[in-house]
Amino acid sequence: MTNANETRGFTLDEPLLFERGSRGRRGYTLPLLDAEEQGGETLPADLCRDDLPDFPELSEMEVLRHFLRLSQWNFSAATNFYPLGSCTMKYNPVLNEKLARLDGFANLHPLTPPQAAQGALELMMELEKLLAEVSGMDAVSLQPAAGAHGELAGMKMIRAYHVGQGSPRKKVLIPQSAHGTNPASSALCGYQVVPVQSNDEGMIDPAAVAPLLDAETAAIMVTNPNTLGLFEKDIVKIAAAVHEKGGLVYLDGANMNALLGVAKPGHMGADVMQFNLHKTFSTPHGGGGPGAGPVAVRSVLADFLPIPRVVKRGDRYDLSEDLPKSIGRIRAFYGNFGMLVRAYAYMLSLGGDGMRRATQMAILNANYVRRALEGVLDIAYDEACLHECVFSDSQLERRGVETLDLAKRLLDHGFYAPTIYFPQIVRGAIMIEPTESETRETLDEFIAAVKSIVAEARENPEHVKGAPHRTRVSRLDEVRAARQPRLRWKRD
């Protein structure tokens, strides 16, 4: 694979804006304002300054080219195959973006009174109904701003429920194959985390759960399919055992992309779950910005949902805070509305049959990759997977090459690296989730790249260990970056 910039002789380095420009250069021309003529009369003198030391002064062209070049160097689901396991980096359809930008949605102020926001409230209620239907649950709140935020809301509702029963209880059971944020969500709600060992098949054994259940068990948090990409076949039996002891079942919805239109968590015995709209329903990943993690519950927890709730009175929609048992407001206003519009558009455009088809294609793609790489990499568990497949690095380790080296070398082939070293129950884990968006041709190119790297590890392991070679920045000293971070620019 030849890098276009290498063949044309262009530099692979992009200087910082602080290293460009010259004094007096500007990218704008604005008329003087009256406020500027008044100077210190507008703002106190101690809040004004004449200059910003070392602040870049640039033309519009310099700024445009700088950020455009940086954007072209990004790895993203819109530009590359992005096989990030357990994170479902699926394509975000442009149609959803267009609908979210309609004036009536994009320019709606969050403090608009309900009587002037009927369309938005109707959309929210209809989205709640759709999410309840596909999950087999009874009620939904769209308020949480991310998947982990939805987890926290769910665990707070579980705690509120048990307090209402006379005891908050003390512990939450979490399997080894659960989603990575589950222990943190439990601990933040004051619970002791009790691990549940996986069996030889990578799944939860009811016999391992039973001795851990007692009157202090508040809940079990289960990810299904689990982070090995395997369906927990005993989930109904496990849920029944937990319920018998008075506990509740939290089912992490991060991997809903393998269930949509095929199976419903509510039918498995789940009492509460969160949806990661950015994973299953094609809204953008937050990355520190807007996200959405709606939480769905069975009727036993409906009274504890966050407020406000969207309600319908006659033919009008409203926001109600009349829920005395609610855990309260967990987000300013009502979450990130633009993400809700995108998810609603996605569900309507696919319909029930389309969502089922998306799940089937995601499962087919993951098993295609799994089968093609059997024997090239060691499969972690010899079971047909659902949305993702997990390999170990034992084939590479024999040649002194590690999982990290494979991930870095994939960047040279134009593919983003898959999730590595997770779940931790697999040594040197390599977790690949292709999603339904990818074509067979793309998967074949990825499979060929992995095979090429494994062959290269036999013949020239040092070259693999030195990767990446064709990216703008070579392999970083990650230990030094963690211990001596440079978070802002300073002139040498």
Side-chain angles (χ1 to χ4, degrees), residues 178-314:
H179 204 247
T181 51
N182 291 174
S185 297
S186 298
L188 280 171
C189 289
Y191 288 115
Q192 172 192 354
V193 173
V194 178
V196 181
Q197 299 296 314
S198 299
N199 61 20
D200 293 339
E201 297 176 329
M203 302 181 197
I204 311 169
D205 190 336
V209 174
L212 304 175
L213 295 172
D214 56 31
E216 293 298 338
T217 304
I220 185 170
M221 294 190 80
V222 182
T223 302
N224 198 26
N226 63 32
T227 52
L228 295 165
L230 306 176
F231 186 82
E232 296 286 356
K233 57 186 179 183
D234 290 316
I235 182 62
V236 174
K237 186 183 296 185
I238 292 168
V242 175
H243 289 151
E244 186 178 350
K245 292 292 185 178
L248 298 177
V249 177
Y250 186 104
L251 193 142
D252 189 306
N255 295 338
M256 191 71 184
N257 209 47
L259 301 179
L260 199 61
V262 176
K264 299 183 179 185
H267 296 175
M268 302 174 196
D271 298 296
V272 54
M273 65 169 290
Q274 100 283 349
F275 300 92
N276 299 56
L277 295 190
H278 55 284
K279 296 184 178 185
T280 307
F281 300 100
S282 84
T283 71
H285 273 64
V295 60
V297 298
R298 286 199 309 120
S299 56
V300 69
L301 290 176
D303 288 344
F304 302 97
L305 283 165
I307 53 174
R309 296 290 312 282
V310 182
V311 296
K312 191 173 185 182
R313 298 187 172 106

Side-chain angles (χ1 to χ4, degrees), residues 43 93 111 130 144 238 275 322 442 459:
L43 292 173
L111 289 178
L130 289 177
I238 292 168
F275 300 92
D322 186 21
T442 298
E459 301 162 4

Side-chain angles (χ1 to χ4, degrees), residues 455-470:
E456 190 178 34
R458 289 194 296 267
E459 301 162 4
N460 189 2
E462 293 304 316
H463 191 65
V464 179
K465 292 164 70 174
H469 303 286
R470 295 172 177 160

Side-chain angles (χ1 to χ4, degrees), residues 142-160:
L142 306 173
Q143 193 175 142
H149 198 203
E151 277 184 34
L152 181 63
M155 294 309 296
K156 286 175 71 69
M157 285 188 283
I158 287 175
R159 186 175 185 86

